[in-house]
């Protein structure tokens, strides 16, 4: 037999004897629908929340107040009675928005959500447009609402119902509007309406329309604590009041508790600012009500990427402005000549390496003679990350039968034993034994000695040949160390990027009208640190290697650059003045050449043994 039931969406379900389980679950879901309507709602935040990215799904006016961002998330919860798990429901959402997109007044956001259950699916895809004037913003939202029903959970008789004559899905356009005001810092107020046009959501006719929802909210922050009051009113639910209390940080962290006055709906939510442009949000709906709880209990995760929190490392050179500044002596005067100057980058990072080399005076002469220049060089290939002196080309397969032919000294034996112990107890992650073509057999024998006799894990000891990235690396590897090669203290400086290029855009100036020009770079005290000059004509570009008048890299701080030129009549003109920021990082590197085994106790991440002979 079958069990007909008229649902609130204007459809009829029927289950055959072969499909009782899906139909029973469907019947349970629709029976709970009036009570668990919140489980089918789309994800929305508070209408006054400037931190939570999801709030723009509630109030489109918040786009103009929130930062430019992309966010995406997922939500999973269960439907059931009395705490019993039932049908798993899935929900996801995403959006991207940017405020002040057009003329610093209009912000735009696009995104969507979906809700999936075994009976039906809903989606909401659209855009939000927000305009801001001082402390008030007004927003509208246009969304395509789609509801579709899973045919697998309906009998053939049910699918012949006239309600399905137009198909098993329906899409309608929904319009909403909202306003947000922040008359003074820490205080916000909002008002808006969703489904303003009451779109048709039923499959047959227009008997079922989405209910209008009027919402409003107030929020107030005092120090690190914020309170929010939210009101929502629909004909289906009446008026709901939610109160939230949160502790927050201006960095982007917050933890929040939300509940209605009857404590039938409660939520705990937290957001953590990971660093750079990234934040992570998590919320959990507490099952506080025996009936409503299992219908709204959920885990929700959101990842937020804020564009304006990601620093620009090397911005592209800006184009000259369309409104080149000029002045008129009177209405009939000609345009005054001017030059617009800009730089390829607006800041530079200066890195300083201070290398200290210490040679143990007790080292025998034959030990020093076995070293090469590569052993006492900078010890790292970049400023930010340590690397071994040479990359290794691994040798495969490894032979287990080769033995190291040469007797080892007591210090060498002790070193190998110590390394083997650290490899075994995770003190050292990996050891590489590197040798030239004719020394590969010796390297293989040394590896087998460490593995078979000292007990090192075989998968952590690698054999290979050195990979040289340049001729200089190869020469340093093969060149024996001379007595005067060890420089006790050395300082190396370099800038990133290595130079900048000034772009000069003359306006109303011919080359013949210029008899001399000077581009000065000065510090905050007005002292010139670098100067460029020429005679006739103003060049299109000027390169600067970040060095001052004495040839050294400029010190950290703020610098200004400006062009001055002299016309044929003797008049001195000046261009605009711009800034460049200089940051400096210092790293101390110490290279010890000794026989003592003490440094091995520090358990480096990787060890590289270089076989020279």
């Amino acid at each position: 037999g079958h069990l007909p039931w008229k649902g609130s969406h204007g459809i009829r379900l029927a289950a055959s004897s072969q499909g009782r389980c899906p139909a029973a679950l469907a019947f349970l879901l629709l029976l709970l629908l009036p009570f668990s309507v919140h489980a089918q709602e789309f994800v929305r935040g508070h209408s006054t929340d400037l931190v939570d990215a999801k709030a723009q799904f509630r109030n489109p006016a918040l786009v103009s107040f929130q930062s430019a961002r992309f966010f995406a998330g997922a939500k999973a919860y269960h439907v059931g009675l009395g705490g019993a798990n039932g049908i798993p429901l899935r929900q996801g959402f995403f959006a991207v928005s940017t405020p002040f997109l057009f003329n610093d007044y209009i912000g735009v956001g696009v995104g969507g959500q979906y809700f999936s259950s075994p009976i039906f699916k809903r989606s909401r895809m659209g855009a939000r447009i927000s305009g801001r004037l001082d402390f008030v913003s007004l927003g509208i939202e246009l969304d395509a609402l789609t509801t579709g029903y899973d045919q697998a959970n309906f009998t053939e008789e049910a699918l012949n119902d006239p309600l399905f004559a137009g198909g098993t899905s329906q899409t309608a356009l929904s319009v909403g509007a909202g306003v947000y005001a922040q008359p003074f810092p820490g205080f916000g107020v909002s008002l808006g309406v969703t489904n303003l046009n009451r779109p048709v959501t039923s499959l047959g006719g227009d008997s079922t329309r989405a209910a209008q929802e009027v919402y409003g909210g107030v929020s107030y922050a005092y120090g690190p604590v914020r309170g929010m009051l939210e009101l929502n009113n629909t004909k289906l639910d009446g008026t709901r009041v939610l109160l939230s209390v949160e502790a927050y940080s201006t960095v982007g962290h917050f933890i929040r508790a939300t509940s209605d006055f009857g404590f039938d709906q409660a939520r705990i939510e937290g957001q953590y600012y990971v660093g750079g442009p990234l934040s992570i949000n998590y919320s959990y709906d507490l099952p506080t009500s025996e009936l409503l709880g299992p219908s709204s209990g959920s885990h929700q995760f959101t990842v937020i990427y804020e564009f304006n929190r990601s620093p620009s490392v090397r911005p592209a050179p800006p184009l000259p402005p369309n409104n080149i500044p000029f002045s008129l002596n009177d209405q009939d005067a000609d345009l005054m000549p001017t030059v617009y100057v800009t730089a390829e980058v607006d800041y530079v990072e200066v890195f300083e390496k201070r290398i200290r080399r210490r040679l143990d005076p007790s080292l025998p002469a034959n030990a020093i003679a076995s070293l090469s220049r590569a052993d006492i060089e900078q010890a790292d290939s970049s400023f930010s990350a340590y690397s071994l002196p040479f990359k290794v080309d691994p040798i495969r397969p490894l032979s287990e039968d080769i033995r190291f032919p040469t007797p080892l000294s007591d210090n060498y034996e002790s070193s190998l034993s110590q390394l083997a112990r650290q490899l075994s107890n995770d003190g050292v992650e990996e050891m590489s034994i590197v040798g030239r073509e004719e020394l590969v057999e010796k390297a293989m024998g040394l590896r087998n000695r460490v593995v078979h006799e000292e007990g090192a894990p075989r998968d952590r000891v690698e054999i290979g040949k050195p990979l040289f990235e340049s001729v200089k690396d190869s020469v340093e590897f093969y060149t024996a160390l001379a007595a005067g090669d060890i420089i006790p203290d050395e300082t190396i400086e370099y800038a990133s990027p290595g130079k900048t290029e000034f772009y000069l855009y003359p306006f109303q100036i011919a080359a013949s009208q210029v008899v001399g020009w000077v581009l000065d770079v000065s510090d905050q005290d007005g002292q010139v640190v670098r100067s460029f000059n020429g005679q006739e004509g103003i060049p299109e570009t000027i390169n600067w290697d970040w060095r001052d008048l004495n040839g050294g890299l400029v010190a950290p701080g703020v610098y200004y650059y400006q062009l001055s030129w002299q016309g044929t009549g003797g008049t001195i003109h000046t261009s605009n003045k711009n800034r460049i920021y200089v940051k400096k990082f210092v790293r101390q590197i110490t290279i010890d050449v000794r026989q003592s085994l003490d440094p091995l106790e520090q358990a480096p991440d990787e060890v590289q043994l270089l076989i020279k002979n």
Side-chain angles (χ1 to χ4, degrees), residues 25 28 32 77-89 284 287 293-295 297:
L25 294 176
L28 176 62
L32 286 173
Y77 44 99
H78 297 271
V79 171
L81 283 174
N85 288 334
I87 305 171
L89 304 178
Y284 175 66
S295 298

Side-chain angles (χ1 to χ4, degrees), residues 19-34:
R20 290 179 179 175
C21 183
L25 294 176
F27 178 78
L28 176 62
L29 175 66
L30 293 176
L31 184 62
L32 286 173
L33 187 59

Side-chain angles (χ1 to χ4, degrees), residues 151-172:
Q151 300 183 38
N153 288 287
F154 295 85
T155 63
E156 182 177 354
E157 179 182 355
L159 290 174
N160 291 329
D161 192 294
L163 290 174
F164 289 114
T168 56
S169 66
Q170 167 72 18
T171 300

Side-chain angles (χ1 to χ4, degrees), residues 213-274:
E213 180 177 2
V214 179
Y215 60 85
V218 177
S219 66
Y220 180 72
Y222 182 78
V225 179
R226 181 183 0 243
M228 289 182 284
L229 183 68
E230 190 81 9
L231 294 91
N232 302 290
N233 179 271
T234 63
K235 289 184 178 180
L236 181 62
D237 294 337
T239 301
R240 290 185 293 164
V241 181
L242 297 176
L243 178 64
S244 296
V245 178
E246 72 174 42
Y248 72 97
S249 166
T250 55
V251 175
H253 313 304
F254 72 80
I255 183 169
R256 174 188 303 158
T258 303
S259 177
D260 61 358
F261 286 147
F263 205 62
D264 292 326
Q265 301 175 60
R267 172 181 299 167
I268 295 178
E269 183 176 6
Q271 184 163 302
Y272 178 73
Y273 171 55
V274 178

